[in-house]
Every structure is written in C-alpha cells, then in structure tokens.
Amino acid sequence: MPSSAQRKATAEDSLDRVFHALADRTRRALLARLAQGPARVTDLAAPFAMSLPAVSKHLKVLESAALIERAVDGRVHRCAIAAAPLKDAGRWLEHYRGFWEERLEALARFVEAPAKPKRGRR
Amino acid sequence: MPSSAQRKATAEDSLDRVFHALADRTRRALLARLAQGPARVTDLAAPFAMSLPAVSKHLKVLESAALIERAVDGRVHRCAIAAAPLKDAGRWLEHYRGFWEERLEALARFVEAPAKPKRGRR
DNA sequence: AATAAATTAAACCATTCGGTTAATCAATTC
DNA sequence: GAATTGATTAACCGAATGGTTTAATTTATT
C-alpha cells in the first residue's frame, strides 16, 4: 500500500507519459530498434552518438511509460518492447479519427484537385 | 528564401512536435473541446484553472504542431482542430500495430468482454 | 474620444529535459 | 583476486516547459 500522499495514477497520467516518451526521436528510434526484437542496453546504445548514461535515461523514460520492459539477467539488462500503452495512445488518437477522416477526405480532394486559380483564404 | 542556416523541417521534427503537443493533458483537453467545434480563445480558456496567457501558450504549441488552425477575425481568434498531423502520429503508431495486434487482441477481447468475474492477468 | 474587450508579448520563476563526465556497483573473466 | 564489462547513479549544465503577473496591442462599444 502506497505509503504517503500518493495520487492514484490516472489514464491521463499514462497518456502524459506515453506521449512524452514518444516525443523524442531517440526514444522513437529505440522503440523502432526494439520492434525488431529484444536487445541489451549496450547494443541499443551503439548506433547513437551519445553516451551510455544518456541512452540509459531514455530507456528509463520508455520504461516508466511502460513502453518497454526489461529483464535483468546477471549484469545484462535485456529490453523488449511492450505494446499496451501504445495501444492506449492509438485509441486516444482513434477517438478523433471520425472527426478528421471526413475533413481530411475533403481536404485531400481539394488539394489533389486540378489546381484552380487560387482563392484568397489565409 | 530562408535567410540563414535553417534546416528543412523533417517528418521527425513533425512527430516531435505533435507528440510533444499531445503530451500535456491541458492541450489534449483543448483538442477534445475543439473536436466538438471551433471556439474563441477566451471560451477555450474558461474551463481551466489557469490564466489566459497560459492557455494562449498552449494554443501556440498546438498551432505550431499544426494540430489546430486559427482564423483571426477582428480581435477574436477562432480556433479549429486540424487533423493532418494527428494522422501522421496515428500512422507512426500504426507502424507498430503488427507487433502488438496479436498480443493486444486477446487483451482487448478480455477487457471489453461483458464484465466476467475478474480473472487475474496483470 | 474614451473605455472596454480579446488576445498576445514580455519578463520572470521553478522545474524538467536531455545531455555530459566521473564515480559506483555488480557480475564476469583472466 | 585483480581487472574488465554492463549498466546505473550522481552531480552538474544549459535550454526548454509550464506557469505567473504586468504590459502592450488591436478592435469594438458607448
């Protein structure tokens, strides 16, 4: 049981963390890498022009958003992608899909239409 | 022509901005509100326990992520949701769908099932 | 013309972010 | 058991975030 004044983690908290985690290209790249299979921290860090601690921090962010899981085996930490929160984010976006879809369709038709002599607007 | 050293805005830049914009619950709430129709800045700000300038800043973030558009009409700024970047974000998430899908399908069925006497799982 | 309204701009503040290097710790290997 | 490896922690740094309050700006109202 949580010891002191500790608010319950809400769905909003989770979205905060997930979207924040996704808002960094290094972290997205890490996810992309992990999408092809689990990997050790050092291997994950290798392609990046930054220090190991930096990558370690990124992984911690991903982990606290529950986007990855890690299995500690001896001194090596094996990271793997974990999908559920992405699904939440996807659902959130999905919520708006109905809305855009129609607008985008219209926009797309407009944009892709034979270039008519441009009217003011904007 | 861009005056000085000015990098071209990449798709990654765009994802950075969109996900960052979505990573704040106030901004998500603003989007939610706007999903129901355009609104003036003051009206958008009303429900929030924060100053108008604060909301104004949030709107600027949403705007620079191209998630909203604004039409200035006299002294009132009318904001409206703009869907395209959300679509990009959705596409990005979609990219991972193959991976989760199988894992999550089962979970989704479970979660959305008629409330059965809850079994463990997580 | 004076005032009020809608909004942004500016200056400021505390906190978080993303990175660094150096130190630490635990598990292997020689 | 001493050195090496895999990884985190700690301390620090500059820049960005999210908020504030106080102007400033522009447009509308009376």
Side-chain angles (χ1 to χ4, degrees), chain B residues 60-79:
Chain B
K60 192 152 61 177
V61 171
L62 289 170
E63 194 180 13
S64 77
L67 284 167
I68 68 171
E69 288 162 1
R70 85 174 67 201
V72 179
D73 174 28
R75 63 183 166 180
V76 35
H77 294 207
R78 185 159 227 78
C79 300

Side-chain angles (χ1 to χ4, degrees), chain A residues 29 59 73 104 116:
Chain A
L59 290 173
D73 173 28
L104 285 177
K116 296 182 65 171

Side-chain angles (χ1 to χ4, degrees), chain B residues 40-42 52-53 56 70 75-77:
Chain B
R40 307 180 318 148
V41 172
T42 311
L52 197 52
S56 181
R70 85 174 67 201
R75 63 183 166 180
V76 35
H77 294 207

Side-chain angles (χ1 to χ4, degrees), chain A residues 41-42 56 70 75-77:
Chain A
V41 172
T42 310
S56 180
R70 85 173 67 199
R75 64 183 167 182
V76 35
H77 294 207

